[in-house]
Amino acid sequence: MNDLTPGTTVVVFDCFGTIITERRPMPGTDDFTRAVAEVLVLDRKLADEVVTEVFTTLYTALVDKSALQPATRDVLDTTLRSRGVVRPAEDLDRALWRALGCEDDDRYALCEPAADAMRRTAGAGHTVRLLSNCYLPGGLMRRLLTQLRVPGVYDRAHFTADGGPKKPDPRAFELITAGPFGRRIMVGDSDDNDLTPARRLGWDVVPVDPARPDFGELYALLFRDAPEIRSVQRNTR
C-alpha cells in the first residue's frame, strides 16, 4: 500500500489563519479584563489582578517552546480561587467566550477555500485532523467552529487550551497524528509553528497565505495522478 492510498494519509489543518480568518487582532488585556469583570461580577481592580496573572501564566508557557500549555479554564479558576472567588465552570466559559471576541460578529470568519479543501480531502478517503494553539477550551473551540460552519469532517482535534504540548513542540504533532498513517501533511500559515516543525518530522507541508488562500499544493500532494483533481487545481488558482 503506497502513501497515496485512501486512508493512509492524515492531513492536519491549523485553525487560526488557515481555517479561521481573523478579521481583527486578538482582544487585548483591557478587553479581557472588561469581559471578566462583567461576566464574573468582579470589581475592576480584582479583575485586572486576575487577568494579569492569567496572562503571565499563559505567556510564560508560550515563550518556552517545550513547556506544556496549561489549561486556560484551570488557570482562570485557580487564579480566582487564590483570591477567595469561586465561579462555576459555565460562567468561566462565558467569560472566556466574550473575552476572546467570540461574541463579535465581525471578528472571525470561515476561510471557504480551506473548508473546501477539508471536504475534498475527507471525500477522497483521507483522514482530516485539527491542531490549534489556542486559548479557548476545546468545547468553546468546537462551538466556534460549528458557528462558523467549519466542515465536521475531522475525526480528532488537539486544542492546546485544554492543556498539553503545543506547536512547535514535536509532541503536539505526534499526538494529533497517532495512527498507522503512511503520510502526514501539515497545512498551516505559520512557518515557525506549523511548517518547520512538521518538516523536521519528515512530513509534507502546505503553506497557507491568509490573504490569498490557495490549496493547490495540497491537491497536488494528494491527487497528483488524478486528472479530475488537476482540473480542480487550475480552477482554484
Side-chain angles (χ1 to χ4, degrees):
M1 185 178 289
N2 64 51
D3 288 346
L4 296 182
T5 302
T8 69
T9 297
V10 57
V11 181
V12 179
F13 287 82
D14 165 57
C15 288
F16 295 100
T18 300
I19 298 171
I20 300 173
T21 299
E22 297 177 85
R23 291 172 168 167
R24 288 192 280 148
M26 180 178 172
T29 53
D30 286 344
D31 301 308
F32 207 105
T33 300
R34 187 181 310 110
V36 166
E38 292 174 357
V39 175
L40 301 181
V41 194
L42 306 176
D43 67 64
R44 181 66 184 228
K45 181 176 183 298
L46 177 57
D48 186 61
E49 290 178 8
V50 168
V51 169
T52 297
E53 185 169 328
V54 168
F55 268 55
T56 298
T57 300
L58 294 176
Y59 182 74
T60 298
L62 177 67
V63 296
D64 183 348
K65 296 185 184 301
S66 64
L68 299 181
Q69 181 172 326
T72 308
R73 189 196 296 121
D74 289 350
V75 173
L76 179 57
D77 183 48
T78 299
T79 305
L80 288 166
R81 288 176 184 271
S82 71
R83 290 164 172 76
V85 178
V86 179
R87 294 290 187 271
E90 55 267 29
D91 286 354
L92 301 182
D93 280 354
R94 285 197 304 114
L96 291 170
W97 182 258
R98 181 181 297 183
L100 291 166
C102 299
E103 290 185 352
D104 304 335
D105 292 337
D106 61 344
R107 186 175 297 278
Y108 302 115
L110 173 66
C111 174
E112 294 290 354
D116 191 46
M118 291 174 65
R119 284 189 290 264
R120 291 180 184 277
T121 300
H126 301 295
T127 299
V128 175
R129 292 183 177 173
L130 307 182
L131 176 57
S132 178
N133 282 7
C134 58
Y135 295 115
L136 276 175
L140 298 184
M141 275 295 295
R142 289 180 176 84
R143 176 181 169 189
L144 178 62
L145 295 174
T146 299
Q147 181 173 291
L148 296 175
R149 298 185 179 175
V150 172
V153 297
Y154 56 95
D155 77 334
R156 187 179 301 177
H158 176 50
F159 301 125
T160 62
D162 287 336
K166 62 187 183 301
K167 300 180 292 184
D169 190 329
R171 291 175 294 180
F173 294 82
E174 291 162 357
L175 179 65
I176 195 57
T177 57
F181 299 107
R183 167 174 279 185
R184 290 165 171 79
I185 301 173
M186 182 70 211
V187 182
D189 67 303
S190 171
D191 187 62
D192 290 339
N193 284 339
D194 299 321
L195 309 178
T196 295
R199 282 194 194 96
R200 287 174 178 160
L201 291 170
W203 296 21
D204 289 309
V205 300
V206 176
V208 176
D209 179 355
R212 296 173 59 95
D214 180 353
F215 294 85
E217 288 189 42
L218 175 62
Y219 300 139
L221 286 170
L222 292 177
F223 312 114
R224 60 190 176 198
D225 298 321
E228 66 274 15
I229 299 300
R230 288 199 295 272
S231 175
V232 168
Q233 287 180 255
R234 287 194 296 272
N235 292 332
T236 56
R237 291 188 182 277

